[in-house]
Amino acid sequence: MTLLRVTNLSKSFDGVKAVDDVSFDLAAGQLLALIGPNGAGKSTCFNMVNGQLKPSSGSIRLDGVELVGRRPREIWRMGVGRTFQIAATFNSMTVIENVQMALVSRERRLFGLWKPSASWHADEAMALLEQVGMAEHAGRACGVLAYGDVKRVELAIALANRPKLLLMDEPTAGMAPGERNELMALTRRLVTGRKIGVLFTEHSMDVVFAHADKLIVLARGRLIAEGDAQTVRNDARVQEVYLGTGRSFTPRAALEDGVTL
Ligand code: ADP
Ligand code: MG
């Protein structure tokens, strides 16, 4: 079932096409990686889906409903979540308080009005923390957590809003390779049962090939390749973009060449 359908999406900045006629589909429960060299248009695509940028032309439909023209908050209400939406108070609150805040804000979104309750969704918050492996850290201040643990809390916060679609722009930036794989494997476990679609960008080709169901490759705003890891890895245009030669593409070679995606 198609969750997100992007059709002929374009965005120009002062006449320069940052995103140029891009179309793709994302199914519920699917992990779709958006990759491409720096400046390819990945973040611009993300910011059009979440409503922060207005497309020059094209359509973005979530469950058949047009998102173009709606405000970011409305799009969030319709079920488009993001990691990296950390509140300014994040560090001063405990792990569980941050998740409780997200649950409260979801309730306000649904019912308009929030009635204070003693429990503050403590059980549901704890259940989410168990799922991301952070239950034993519930009472600690977020400010003292290790970086990888902050990422797990961010995931719990994103899930508290029960998104249909989760946007993750470079979710593993700054993490060690082992941690990157762990975070994406955890993301997979959490979204599959909930049928959440995930659109993510990622620098490490190893991580992308290991965890994405489908990849789309952008170069200078244009979609140049699409498919599973095998298809994209063997695509001549992709090899050219990343290596500038006809050389066979491997993640190792890309790393040695200092290529960042
Ligand atoms: P990526 O995330 O793939 O690195 P971006 O989407 O950030 O790429 O950028 C795509 C292109 O659009 C780049 O050439 C960038 O300089 C340009 N661009 C992005 N945002 C703006 C902006 N707000 N104003 C002008 N140009 C922009
Ligand atoms: Mg970017």
Side-chain angles (χ1 to χ4, degrees), residues 112 127 156 184:
M184 291 317 296

Side-chain angles (χ1 to χ4, degrees), residues 96-116:
I96 193 163
E97 281 167 356
N98 270 294
V99 180
Q100 286 175 288
M101 283 275 290
L103 290 166
V104 166
S105 84
R106 173 176 170 269
E107 188 167 89
R108 284 168 68 167
R109 179 183 84 196
L110 290 179
F111 306 113
L113 211 143
W114 174 65
K115 296 195 186 98

Side-chain angles (χ1 to χ4, degrees), residues 18-248:
V19 173
D20 187 3
D21 201 27
V22 167
S23 301
F24 63 89
D25 282 354
L26 167 59
Q30 190 177 46
L31 268 73
L32 173 60
L34 187 56
I35 66 169
N38 278 333
K42 304 181 296 292
S43 295
T44 303
C45 269
F46 268 79
N47 290 331
M48 289 193 277
V49 177
N50 68 39
Q52 304 233 326
L53 279 177
K54 189 176 177 295
S56 303
S57 60
S59 157
I60 303 166
R61 289 199 191 90
L62 183 76
D63 276 339
V65 180
E66 185 60 67
L67 299 185
V68 172
R70 295 177 196 270
R71 290 168 181 276
R73 196 167 170 79
E74 193 182 355
I75 291 173
W76 174 73
R77 263 194 237 113
M78 290 166 73
V80 179
R82 275 191 293 166
T83 54
F84 281 56
Q85 272 185 317
I86 293 306
T89 50
F90 180 79
N91 281 333
S92 63
M93 296 198 302
T94 65
V95 168
I96 193 163
E97 281 167 356
N98 270 294
V99 180
Q100 286 175 288
M101 283 275 290
L103 290 166
V104 166
S105 84
R106 173 176 170 269
E107 188 167 89
R108 284 168 68 167
R109 179 183 84 196
L110 290 179
F111 306 113
L113 211 143
W114 174 65
K115 296 195 186 98
S117 83
S119 78
W120 266 53
H121 304 288
D123 293 347
E124 197 178 344
M126 206 58 187
L128 277 168
L129 288 176
E130 260 157 35
Q131 288 170 47
V132 299
M134 286 296 290
E136 70 261 46
H137 299 284
R140 297 177 71 199
C142 280
V144 304
L145 296 180
Y147 190 65
D149 288 343
V150 170
K151 297 288 169 186
R152 289 168 184 272
V153 178
E154 285 180 359
L155 206 46
I157 290 171
L159 293 175
N161 286 309
R162 299 207 193 149
K164 290 180 188 175
L165 170 68
L166 189 56
L167 303 175
M168 304 169 85
D169 198 359
E170 303 193 13
T172 68
M175 297 176 95
E179 273 185 327
R180 288 171 180 241
N181 278 307
E182 256 177 52
L183 186 76
M184 291 317 296
L186 174 66
T187 303
R188 156 79 67 195
R189 287 200 298 278
L190 294 171
V191 302
T192 301
R194 293 172 166 89
K195 293 260 177 235
I196 299 171
V198 179
L199 181 63
F200 74 107
T201 59
E202 165 64 53
H203 280 262
S204 158
M205 273 302 217
D206 290 329
V207 174
V208 171
F209 287 145
H211 298 285
D213 296 307
K214 188 169 110 172
L215 289 81
I216 49 182
V217 188
L218 295 184
R220 297 187 184 178
R222 294 198 68 98
L223 194 155
I224 60 161
E226 178 174 12
D228 62 14
Q230 186 72 15
T231 308
V232 165
R233 201 193 308 243
N234 294 330
D235 188 284
R237 278 168 306 178
V238 175
Q239 292 177 8
E240 205 179 302
V241 162
Y242 281 116
L243 298 173
T245 68
R247 241 171 81 189
S248 166

